Amino acid sequence: MKIKFAKLCCIVLTLLFLACSSGNERIIKGKWSLAGRMIGGGPSSFWFKGGGTVIGPWEARNYAIQSKGKYVFIDEKHLKIMMNSGYYEGNTYFYDIVQLDEKELILRNNYQKIKLKRTKEK
């Protein structure tokens, strides 16, 4: 009986974790641009696509600096972005998610908060 209860608890916790991650995945999809000041060193905008793909910066006026990579939610409050090509190739960024809703995304790293606003629907 104890083993069945333990398995049930494990399944429930796994489903809860997946539900939180998929909610963030759904909300974050789209183009986000800088809505405040930022200290240099990382992309100033992000285009989060489905399947964990990210482009940053995505501005069309200067294609040469586009970077592409992957993003993963470590948990519901932490985001990891790994750039695989372009200007930021080889860089990995870790952010705390301070706020994530349909209009605003606030990320924090070890030295600043980055405010982003949605610029285009998913």
Side-chain angles (χ1 to χ4, degrees):
M1 188 73 163
K2 287 182 182 181
I3 294 174
K4 287 183 182 181
F5 181 73
K7 285 183 181 180
L8 179 62
C9 288
C10 184
I11 291 170
V12 169
L13 288 174
T14 301
L15 291 174
L16 286 172
F17 175 74
L18 290 174
C20 291
S21 295
S22 62
N24 283 343
E25 175 76 24
R26 179 187 54 77
I27 294 172
I28 204 168
K29 285 182 193 173
K31 292 183 178 183
W32 298 86
S33 64
L34 193 61
R37 294 187 50 160
M38 181 176 163
I39 300 169
S44 60
S45 59
F46 294 101
W47 182 2
F48 294 100
K49 297 182 169 194
T53 301
V54 65
I55 296 174
W58 45 261
E59 290 85 0
R61 70 178 190 278
N62 196 349
Y63 181 77
I65 64 168
Q66 276 193 349
S67 295
K68 293 182 182 177
K70 296 286 184 183
Y71 70 93
V72 294
F73 288 97
I74 298 169
D75 57 35
E76 68 180 78
K77 291 291 183 185
H78 297 92
L79 179 67
K80 178 180 177 182
I81 299 174
M82 301 138 305
M83 293 300 190
N84 301 323
S85 66
Y87 185 79
Y88 296 104
E89 180 178 359
N91 292 355
T92 299
Y93 304 96
F94 293 92
Y95 296 107
D96 297 330
I97 302 169
V98 177
Q99 181 175 338
L100 173 57
D101 59 40
E102 294 293 332
K103 296 180 181 181
E104 188 172 43
L105 171 61
I106 301 175
L107 302 173
R108 180 178 55 223
N109 58 17
N110 57 353
Y111 57 92
Q112 69 179 324
K113 277 187 183 177
I114 303 167
K115 287 182 148 189
L116 301 159
K117 65 179 178 174
R118 185 180 303 280
T119 58
K120 185 175 180 181
E121 287 305 309
K122 308 161 195 167

